[in-house]
Amino acid sequence: MLFRGFNLKRIFQGRLQKGEDLIEGIKAFLKDECIHKGIISGIGAASRVSIGYYDQTEKRYKMDTFEEPMEILSIKGNISIKDGEPFPHLHGVFSKKDHTCLGGHIFEGTEVFAFEFEVLEFSGDTFIRGYDEETGLYLWMA
Ligand code: ZN
């Protein structure tokens, strides 16, 4: 197990503009505000959704893009450092017109129709992501 205690530093609430890429928009916000650790949540709507499922045997993401309007029911994730930059790791649940849901690890290519988010920034030693041989994932190392 690896864990660390933090204190709450700042709390933000904001929204992305229609047409923005969800991941790129959040990354830009984190970089602008120098946020290196914390948690993020959000709701809204997307006009395109790109999500992945990690195949634990093949050790790679199976990514799918859905070119249809969906509700963003819940996005939840964390913020740490990967390759020297603030990195949001986000998972999401989305619903279609018939209310059925799908979800997964959110990738670039998810286009916002409307997205309202909260970021809770922590103070303390930032987790840095590094490659983990056993899982094939970039996990918190130190
Ligand atoms: Zn993930």
PDB file of all heavy atoms in Angstrom, residues 25-50:
ATOM      1  N   GLY A  25      -9.158  20.695 -21.766  1.00  0.00           N
ATOM      2  CA  GLY A  25      -9.658  21.855 -21.026  1.00  0.00           C
ATOM      3  C   GLY A  25      -9.282  21.787 -19.556  1.00  0.00           C
ATOM      4  O   GLY A  25      -8.831  22.785 -18.972  1.00  0.00           O
ATOM      5  N   ILE A  26      -9.444  20.625 -18.962  1.00  0.00           N
ATOM      6  CA  ILE A  26      -9.089  20.462 -17.548  1.00  0.00           C
ATOM      7  C   ILE A  26      -7.581  20.563 -17.363  1.00  0.00           C
ATOM      8  O   ILE A  26      -7.093  21.202 -16.429  1.00  0.00           O
ATOM      9  CB  ILE A  26      -9.637  19.120 -16.992  1.00  0.00           C
ATOM     10  CG1 ILE A  26     -11.174  19.144 -16.929  1.00  0.00           C
ATOM     11  CG2 ILE A  26      -9.048  18.808 -15.613  1.00  0.00           C
ATOM     12  CD1 ILE A  26     -11.767  20.211 -16.007  1.00  0.00           C
ATOM     13  N   LYS A  27      -6.817  19.958 -18.283  1.00  0.00           N
ATOM     14  CA  LYS A  27      -5.351  20.049 -18.202  1.00  0.00           C
ATOM     15  C   LYS A  27      -4.893  21.501 -18.241  1.00  0.00           C
ATOM     16  O   LYS A  27      -4.007  21.904 -17.483  1.00  0.00           O
ATOM     17  CB  LYS A  27      -4.695  19.288 -19.366  1.00  0.00           C
ATOM     18  CG  LYS A  27      -4.454  17.822 -19.091  1.00  0.00           C
ATOM     19  CD  LYS A  27      -3.684  17.204 -20.255  1.00  0.00           C
ATOM     20  CE  LYS A  27      -3.440  15.727 -20.000  1.00  0.00           C
ATOM     21  NZ  LYS A  27      -2.902  15.057 -21.191  1.00  0.00           N
ATOM     22  N   ALA A  28      -5.474  22.297 -19.135  1.00  0.00           N
ATOM     23  CA  ALA A  28      -5.104  23.710 -19.265  1.00  0.00           C
ATOM     24  C   ALA A  28      -5.427  24.472 -17.978  1.00  0.00           C
ATOM     25  O   ALA A  28      -4.629  25.286 -17.509  1.00  0.00           O
ATOM     26  CB  ALA A  28      -5.833  24.334 -20.455  1.00  0.00           C
ATOM     27  N   PHE A  29      -6.587  24.178 -17.404  1.00  0.00           N
ATOM     28  CA  PHE A  29      -6.971  24.817 -16.137  1.00  0.00           C
ATOM     29  C   PHE A  29      -5.969  24.464 -15.027  1.00  0.00           C
ATOM     30  O   PHE A  29      -5.504  25.343 -14.294  1.00  0.00           O
ATOM     31  CB  PHE A  29      -8.398  24.391 -15.749  1.00  0.00           C
ATOM     32  CG  PHE A  29      -8.749  24.697 -14.335  1.00  0.00           C
ATOM     33  CD1 PHE A  29      -9.005  26.003 -13.927  1.00  0.00           C
ATOM     34  CD2 PHE A  29      -8.799  23.684 -13.384  1.00  0.00           C
ATOM     35  CE1 PHE A  29      -9.306  26.292 -12.601  1.00  0.00           C
ATOM     36  CE2 PHE A  29      -9.100  23.963 -12.060  1.00  0.00           C
ATOM     37  CZ  PHE A  29      -9.358  25.269 -11.664  1.00  0.00           C
ATOM     38  N   LEU A  30      -5.613  23.197 -14.919  1.00  0.00           N
ATOM     39  CA  LEU A  30      -4.680  22.749 -13.875  1.00  0.00           C
ATOM     40  C   LEU A  30      -3.313  23.400 -14.044  1.00  0.00           C
ATOM     41  O   LEU A  30      -2.679  23.805 -13.072  1.00  0.00           O
ATOM     42  CB  LEU A  30      -4.535  21.220 -13.893  1.00  0.00           C
ATOM     43  CG  LEU A  30      -5.807  20.417 -13.605  1.00  0.00           C
ATOM     44  CD1 LEU A  30      -5.529  18.925 -13.781  1.00  0.00           C
ATOM     45  CD2 LEU A  30      -6.358  20.717 -12.217  1.00  0.00           C
ATOM     46  N   LYS A  31      -2.891  23.513 -15.291  1.00  0.00           N
ATOM     47  CA  LYS A  31      -1.593  24.128 -15.576  1.00  0.00           C
ATOM     48  C   LYS A  31      -1.628  25.625 -15.239  1.00  0.00           C
ATOM     49  O   LYS A  31      -0.716  26.134 -14.590  1.00  0.00           O
ATOM     50  CB  LYS A  31      -1.248  23.907 -17.055  1.00  0.00           C
ATOM     51  CG  LYS A  31       0.225  23.887 -17.334  1.00  0.00           C
ATOM     52  CD  LYS A  31       0.521  23.413 -18.741  1.00  0.00           C
ATOM     53  CE  LYS A  31       2.011  23.554 -19.018  1.00  0.00           C
ATOM     54  NZ  LYS A  31       2.397  23.098 -20.339  1.00  0.00           N
ATOM     55  N   ASP A  32      -2.692  26.296 -15.668  1.00  0.00           N
ATOM     56  CA  ASP A  32      -2.828  27.737 -15.398  1.00  0.00           C
ATOM     57  C   ASP A  32      -2.806  28.040 -13.899  1.00  0.00           C
ATOM     58  O   ASP A  32      -2.244  29.039 -13.470  1.00  0.00           O
ATOM     59  CB  ASP A  32      -4.145  28.282 -15.983  1.00  0.00           C
ATOM     60  CG  ASP A  32      -4.080  28.411 -17.494  1.00  0.00           C
ATOM     61  OD1 ASP A  32      -2.986  28.217 -18.062  1.00  0.00           O
ATOM     62  OD2 ASP A  32      -5.128  28.695 -18.109  1.00  0.00           O
ATOM     63  N   GLU A  33      -3.467  27.177 -13.128  1.00  0.00           N
ATOM     64  CA  GLU A  33      -3.580  27.411 -11.681  1.00  0.00           C
ATOM     65  C   GLU A  33      -2.492  26.691 -10.882  1.00  0.00           C
ATOM     66  O   GLU A  33      -2.507  26.728  -9.652  1.00  0.00           O
ATOM     67  CB  GLU A  33      -4.969  26.974 -11.191  1.00  0.00           C
ATOM     68  CG  GLU A  33      -6.104  27.892 -11.635  1.00  0.00           C
ATOM     69  CD  GLU A  33      -5.967  29.310 -11.078  1.00  0.00           C
ATOM     70  OE1 GLU A  33      -5.463  29.468  -9.957  1.00  0.00           O
ATOM     71  OE2 GLU A  33      -6.344  30.264 -11.780  1.00  0.00           O
ATOM     72  N   CYS A  34      -1.564  26.025 -11.582  1.00  0.00           N
ATOM     73  CA  CYS A  34      -0.471  25.283 -10.918  1.00  0.00           C
ATOM     74  C   CYS A  34      -1.003  24.293  -9.878  1.00  0.00           C
ATOM     75  O   CYS A  34      -0.504  24.235  -8.753  1.00  0.00           O
ATOM     76  CB  CYS A  34       0.529  26.226 -10.265  1.00  0.00           C
ATOM     77  SG  CYS A  34       1.435  27.215 -11.443  1.00  0.00           S
ATOM     78  N   ILE A  35      -2.016  23.538 -10.271  1.00  0.00           N
ATOM     79  CA  ILE A  35      -2.598  22.534  -9.375  1.00  0.00           C
ATOM     80  C   ILE A  35      -1.951  21.181  -9.684  1.00  0.00           C
ATOM     81  O   ILE A  35      -2.078  20.677 -10.803  1.00  0.00           O
ATOM     82  CB  ILE A  35      -4.141  22.461  -9.556  1.00  0.00           C
ATOM     83  CG1 ILE A  35      -4.755  23.819  -9.220  1.00  0.00           C
ATOM     84  CG2 ILE A  35      -4.729  21.339  -8.701  1.00  0.00           C
ATOM     85  CD1 ILE A  35      -6.217  23.948  -9.595  1.00  0.00           C
ATOM     86  N   HIS A  36      -1.272  20.608  -8.695  1.00  0.00           N
ATOM     87  CA  HIS A  36      -0.524  19.366  -8.905  1.00  0.00           C
ATOM     88  C   HIS A  36      -1.124  18.172  -8.179  1.00  0.00           C
ATOM     89  O   HIS A  36      -0.705  17.038  -8.391  1.00  0.00           O
ATOM     90  CB  HIS A  36       0.924  19.542  -8.452  1.00  0.00           C
ATOM     91  CG  HIS A  36       1.670  20.567  -9.261  1.00  0.00           C
ATOM     92  ND1 HIS A  36       2.886  21.066  -8.894  1.00  0.00           N
ATOM     93  CD2 HIS A  36       1.345  21.186 -10.429  1.00  0.00           C
ATOM     94  CE1 HIS A  36       3.303  21.942  -9.791  1.00  0.00           C
ATOM     95  NE2 HIS A  36       2.381  22.044 -10.724  1.00  0.00           N
ATOM     96  N   LYS A  37      -2.066  18.430  -7.280  1.00  0.00           N
ATOM     97  CA  LYS A  37      -2.686  17.318  -6.553  1.00  0.00           C
ATOM     98  C   LYS A  37      -4.061  17.732  -6.079  1.00  0.00           C
ATOM     99  O   LYS A  37      -4.297  18.906  -5.790  1.00  0.00           O
ATOM    100  CB  LYS A  37      -1.827  16.878  -5.374  1.00  0.00           C
ATOM    101  CG  LYS A  37      -1.529  17.982  -4.379  1.00  0.00           C
ATOM    102  CD  LYS A  37      -0.111  17.865  -3.886  1.00  0.00           C
ATOM    103  CE  LYS A  37       0.394  19.158  -3.297  1.00  0.00           C
ATOM    104  NZ  LYS A  37       1.210  19.933  -4.204  1.00  0.00           N
ATOM    105  N   GLY A  38      -4.953  16.740  -6.045  1.00  0.00           N
ATOM    106  CA  GLY A  38      -6.305  17.030  -5.607  1.00  0.00           C
ATOM    107  C   GLY A  38      -7.292  16.055  -6.214  1.00  0.00           C
ATOM    108  O   GLY A  38      -6.902  15.008  -6.754  1.00  0.00           O
ATOM    109  N   ILE A  39      -8.557  16.415  -6.099  1.00  0.00           N
ATOM    110  CA  ILE A  39      -9.613  15.588  -6.671  1.00  0.00           C
ATOM    111  C   ILE A  39     -10.521  16.468  -7.526  1.00  0.00           C
ATOM    112  O   ILE A  39     -10.593  17.687  -7.345  1.00  0.00           O
ATOM    113  CB  ILE A  39     -10.448  14.836  -5.596  1.00  0.00           C
ATOM    114  CG1 ILE A  39     -11.014  15.810  -4.560  1.00  0.00           C
ATOM    115  CG2 ILE A  39      -9.611  13.756  -4.940  1.00  0.00           C
ATOM    116  CD1 ILE A  39     -11.934  15.140  -3.555  1.00  0.00           C
ATOM    117  N   ILE A  40     -11.199  15.801  -8.442  1.00  0.00           N
ATOM    118  CA  ILE A  40     -12.032  16.542  -9.389  1.00  0.00           C
ATOM    119  C   ILE A  40     -13.342  15.789  -9.589  1.00  0.00           C
ATOM    120  O   ILE A  40     -13.360  14.558  -9.568  1.00  0.00           O
ATOM    121  CB  ILE A  40     -11.263  16.753 -10.713  1.00  0.00           C
ATOM    122  CG1 ILE A  40     -12.097  17.538 -11.719  1.00  0.00           C
ATOM    123  CG2 ILE A  40     -10.783  15.453 -11.315  1.00  0.00           C
ATOM    124  CD1 ILE A  40     -11.262  18.100 -12.862  1.00  0.00           C
ATOM    125  N   SER A  41     -14.399  16.546  -9.755  1.00  0.00           N
ATOM    126  CA  SER A  41     -15.696  15.940 -10.063  1.00  0.00           C
ATOM    127  C   SER A  41     -16.434  16.861 -11.022  1.00  0.00           C
ATOM    128  O   SER A  41     -16.082  18.043 -11.140  1.00  0.00           O
ATOM    129  CB  SER A  41     -16.516  15.721  -8.784  1.00  0.00           C
ATOM    130  OG  SER A  41     -16.779  16.957  -8.163  1.00  0.00           O
ATOM    131  N   GLY A  42     -17.434  16.319 -11.693  1.00  0.00           N
ATOM    132  CA  GLY A  42     -18.177  17.168 -12.612  1.00  0.00           C
ATOM    133  C   GLY A  42     -19.385  16.478 -13.216  1.00  0.00           C
ATOM    134  O   GLY A  42     -19.512  15.244 -13.174  1.00  0.00           O
ATOM    135  N   ILE A  43     -20.277  17.312 -13.770  1.00  0.00           N
ATOM    136  CA  ILE A  43     -21.470  16.842 -14.466  1.00  0.00           C
ATOM    137  C   ILE A  43     -21.696  17.732 -15.681  1.00  0.00           C
ATOM    138  O   ILE A  43     -21.125  18.823 -15.778  1.00  0.00           O
ATOM    139  CB  ILE A  43     -22.734  16.853 -13.563  1.00  0.00           C
ATOM    140  CG1 ILE A  43     -22.969  18.266 -13.008  1.00  0.00           C
ATOM    141  CG2 ILE A  43     -22.613  15.841 -12.431  1.00  0.00           C
ATOM    142  CD1 ILE A  43     -24.292  18.417 -12.283  1.00  0.00           C
ATOM    143  N   GLY A  44     -22.561  17.289 -16.592  1.00  0.00           N
ATOM    144  CA  GLY A  44     -22.863  18.112 -17.766  1.00  0.00           C
ATOM    145  C   GLY A  44     -23.376  17.282 -18.915  1.00  0.00           C
ATOM    146  O   GLY A  44     -24.139  16.337 -18.724  1.00  0.00           O
ATOM    147  N   ALA A  45     -22.936  17.646 -20.110  1.00  0.00           N
ATOM    148  CA  ALA A  45     -23.349  16.943 -21.319  1.00  0.00           C
ATOM    149  C   ALA A  45     -22.191  16.953 -22.307  1.00  0.00           C
ATOM    150  O   ALA A  45     -21.395  17.890 -22.322  1.00  0.00           O
ATOM    151  CB  ALA A  45     -24.579  17.605 -21.930  1.00  0.00           C
ATOM    152  N   ALA A  46     -22.129  15.900 -23.114  1.00  0.00           N
ATOM    153  CA  ALA A  46     -21.054  15.785 -24.100  1.00  0.00           C
ATOM    154  C   ALA A  46     -21.649  15.521 -25.472  1.00  0.00           C
ATOM    155  O   ALA A  46     -22.683  14.858 -25.599  1.00  0.00           O
ATOM    156  CB  ALA A  46     -20.108  14.649 -23.719  1.00  0.00           C
ATOM    157  N   SER A  47     -20.996  16.047 -26.507  1.00  0.00           N
ATOM    158  CA  SER A  47     -21.465  15.788 -27.867  1.00  0.00           C
ATOM    159  C   SER A  47     -20.702  14.614 -28.493  1.00  0.00           C
ATOM    160  O   SER A  47     -21.135  14.052 -29.487  1.00  0.00           O
ATOM    161  CB  SER A  47     -21.327  17.043 -28.729  1.00  0.00           C
ATOM    162  OG  SER A  47     -20.070  17.632 -28.547  1.00  0.00           O
ATOM    163  N   ARG A  48     -19.579  14.266 -27.899  1.00  0.00           N
ATOM    164  CA  ARG A  48     -18.829  13.079 -28.321  1.00  0.00           C
ATOM    165  C   ARG A  48     -18.098  12.546 -27.097  1.00  0.00           C
ATOM    166  O   ARG A  48     -17.611  13.324 -26.275  1.00  0.00           O
ATOM    167  CB  ARG A  48     -17.823  13.416 -29.415  1.00  0.00           C
ATOM    168  CG  ARG A  48     -17.095  12.185 -29.952  1.00  0.00           C
ATOM    169  CD  ARG A  48     -16.143  12.504 -31.103  1.00  0.00           C
ATOM    170  NE  ARG A  48     -15.093  13.391 -30.690  1.00  0.00           N
ATOM    171  CZ  ARG A  48     -14.769  14.534 -31.318  1.00  0.00           C
ATOM    172  NH1 ARG A  48     -15.413  14.909 -32.390  1.00  0.00           N
ATOM    173  NH2 ARG A  48     -13.791  15.287 -30.872  1.00  0.00           N
ATOM    174  N   VAL A  49     -18.039  11.225 -26.979  1.00  0.00           N
ATOM    175  CA  VAL A  49     -17.428  10.615 -25.799  1.00  0.00           C
ATOM    176  C   VAL A  49     -16.373   9.602 -26.226  1.00  0.00           C
ATOM    177  O   VAL A  49     -16.660   8.697 -27.018  1.00  0.00           O
ATOM    178  CB  VAL A  49     -18.520   9.927 -24.922  1.00  0.00           C
ATOM    179  CG1 VAL A  49     -17.892   9.114 -23.810  1.00  0.00           C
ATOM    180  CG2 VAL A  49     -19.483  10.960 -24.357  1.00  0.00           C
ATOM    181  N   SER A  50     -15.155   9.761 -25.717  1.00  0.00           N
ATOM    182  CA  SER A  50     -14.075   8.799 -25.959  1.00  0.00           C
ATOM    183  C   SER A  50     -13.658   8.184 -24.629  1.00  0.00           C
ATOM    184  O   SER A  50     -13.130   8.882 -23.757  1.00  0.00           O
ATOM    185  CB  SER A  50     -12.855   9.486 -26.578  1.00  0.00           C
ATOM    186  OG  SER A  50     -13.135   9.885 -27.892  1.00  0.00           O
TER     187      SER A  50
END
